[in-house]
Amino acid sequence: MSQTQVIKVTKDTMKKMKSYYEKNRLNRNVPYSDFVAKVGNTTITAYTSGKIVFQGPDAEKIAAKWGPIQNSNAISSSKNSSVLPANFSQLSVLGSDEVGNGSYFGPVTVCAAYVDKTMVAKLKALGVRDSKELTDPQIVQLSSVIKELIPYKLLIVEPEKYNRIQPKYNAVHMKVALHNQAIYLLLNEIAPTKPEAILIDQFTPETNYKKYVRSEQNQVREKLTFITKGEQYHVAVAAASIISRAAFLEELEKESKELGMKVPSGAGATSDKVAAAVLAKGGMSLLSKYVKLHFANTEKAKKIATK
Ligand code: MG
């Protein structure tokens, strides 16, 4: 099935994408574009504005690697993303977010966090906000404070496990399964308390999320709301985001210690080099414990290692 997906990325991500798809680039002149690439039957057009358009059968899967999908038809219509009430930020909300999906090294971490309305002001006062505005040490420190204050469920899929399940689940399906499971476990833990809403930091259209949830054993399908940049709408998503990011950073730290080399986040050229060093040290069996093998970085690392 052919489809079109649109995401908006930062200059930094755009640069990463450009080098990531270097081998896939097409010599095509599209007005206002930075580059055009083709992966299998899916075309990627990157505009200088930061807008990236993916067209083809794997559009969604590829787009999901780089950022939340922002299709006008997926996000703006009330059918596919939620319209939140004006007082939403003051409600008792269960929020969820994930980290690590776009990083070659390290796990995927997903956290669901419940913030009762009586805790909203306190968390905000502590500085719980968009993790992109925080430094790594701040994130790690805030995470341990938040964990003492509110109920949460954190799921960590380490690379070894990720590589086992990835062939069966595409990236979006895996994220849906993890969000759903974290939310399900947290709802059970806080019962009989019920959140007024469940806010998922949106990474796929709502219809798609609900489609994948149907194949899960434990299904949460009520009170779900979806919105991109969820951390701006409720501190519960900001808290979930900080906890999952801190867990991701701690796992990278652990990988660095075990390997005796600094393991980078992201999926750029540094990742290729470090992966090549891991290959030299212990081959594929060692590498598979630390990276998401299906990323293009694996092939690049092999080339560097055999040079
Ligand atoms: Mg997110």
Side-chain angles (χ1 to χ4, degrees):
M1 193 184 70
S2 188
Q3 49 167 325
T4 301
Q5 302 286 355
V6 182
I7 63 169
K8 182 111 175 143
V9 300
T10 59
K11 280 214 172 88
D12 205 43
T13 305
M14 179 92 108
K15 246 169 89 182
K16 276 186 204 147
M17 291 184 76
K18 199 171 176 179
S19 75
Y20 187 86
Y21 293 117
E22 192 158 2
K23 292 219 182 69
N24 306 88
R25 266 196 250 155
L26 300 179
N27 195 7
R28 223 185 254 180
N29 250 330
V30 177
Y32 305 109
S33 74
D34 185 14
F35 68 88
V36 182
K38 195 154 187 174
V39 178
N41 288 317
T42 302
T43 307
I44 304 167
T45 310
Y47 292 92
T48 49
S49 64
K51 192 171 100 172
I52 317 277
V53 179
F54 302 80
Q55 282 168 305
D58 296 321
E60 191 192 339
K61 193 172 157 189
I62 299 171
K65 250 167 112 142
W66 298 102
I69 286 157
Q70 304 200 336
N71 293 12
S72 49
N73 64 344
I75 302 302
S76 312
S77 84
S78 57
K79 211 172 127 209
N80 265 316
S81 116
S82 314
V83 178
L84 304 178
N87 66 338
F88 189 82
S89 67
Q90 302 305 317
L91 300 180
S92 296
V93 168
L94 188 157
S96 70
D97 196 14
E98 84 292 326
V99 172
N101 206 61
S103 180
Y104 182 51
F105 279 91
V108 171
T109 60
V110 174
C111 180
Y114 174 66
V115 177
D116 187 87
K117 58 175 74 163
T118 57
M119 290 299 288
V120 169
K122 175 154 194 178
L123 289 178
K124 283 190 177 168
L126 282 167
V128 178
R129 59 180 194 276
D130 188 352
S131 64
K132 285 171 215 80
E133 295 171 21
L134 303 166
T135 63
D136 289 354
Q138 281 175 323
I139 287 168
V140 171
Q141 195 263 336
L142 257 180
S143 170
S144 64
V145 176
I146 299 167
K147 284 167 159 179
E148 296 292 315
L149 291 173
I150 59 169
Y152 69 94
K153 277 287 169 218
L154 172 65
L155 302 178
I156 300 175
V157 183
E158 286 174 351
E160 226 168 1
K161 182 169 182 200
Y162 180 97
N163 292 327
R164 251 195 335 265
I165 59 181
Q166 181 272 328
K168 284 172 271 169
Y169 281 73
N170 68 50
V172 175
H173 189 178
M174 198 188 296
K175 278 201 262 187
V176 170
L178 291 167
H179 276 260
N180 175 71
Q181 182 68 3
I183 294 165
Y184 174 82
L185 293 173
L186 185 54
L187 283 173
N188 281 351
E189 187 178 297
I190 64 174
T193 302
K194 284 195 168 98
E196 291 170 278
I198 297 170
L199 183 62
I200 296 173
D201 189 35
Q202 190 163 19
F203 52 89
T204 190
E206 180 172 345
T207 44
N208 219 17
Y209 184 97
K210 291 191 166 159
K211 177 186 84 184
Y212 285 129
V213 159
R214 261 178 250 131
S215 62
E216 292 305 301
Q217 200 177 3
N218 307 316
Q219 302 177 9
V220 181
R221 302 171 65 164
E222 277 167 26
K223 289 188 185 171
L224 296 181
T225 46
F226 301 84
I227 202 148
T228 55
K229 302 201 169 77
E231 65 281 347
Q232 295 177 6
Y233 298 88
H234 201 282
V235 73
V237 175
S241 171
I242 287 168
I243 293 171
S244 45
R245 182 157 295 280
F248 173 77
L249 292 171
E250 282 160 0
E251 288 288 320
L252 275 193
E253 191 70 37
K254 198 173 96 190
E255 291 195 356
S256 298
K257 270 206 192 104
E258 285 175 12
L259 287 166
M261 51 186 106
K262 175 98 181 87
V263 162
S265 78
T270 317
S271 303
D272 303 340
K273 277 181 217 140
V274 176
V278 177
L279 279 175
K281 193 172 172 172
M284 283 298 283
S285 65
L286 185 66
L287 186 64
S288 65
K289 292 189 180 118
Y290 297 97
V291 303
K292 303 179 184 80
L293 283 177
H294 68 109
F295 277 40
N297 302 77
T298 301
E299 288 310 311
K300 291 183 189 165
K302 278 189 200 163
K303 279 199 188 113
I304 298 170
T306 54
K307 252 184 207 162

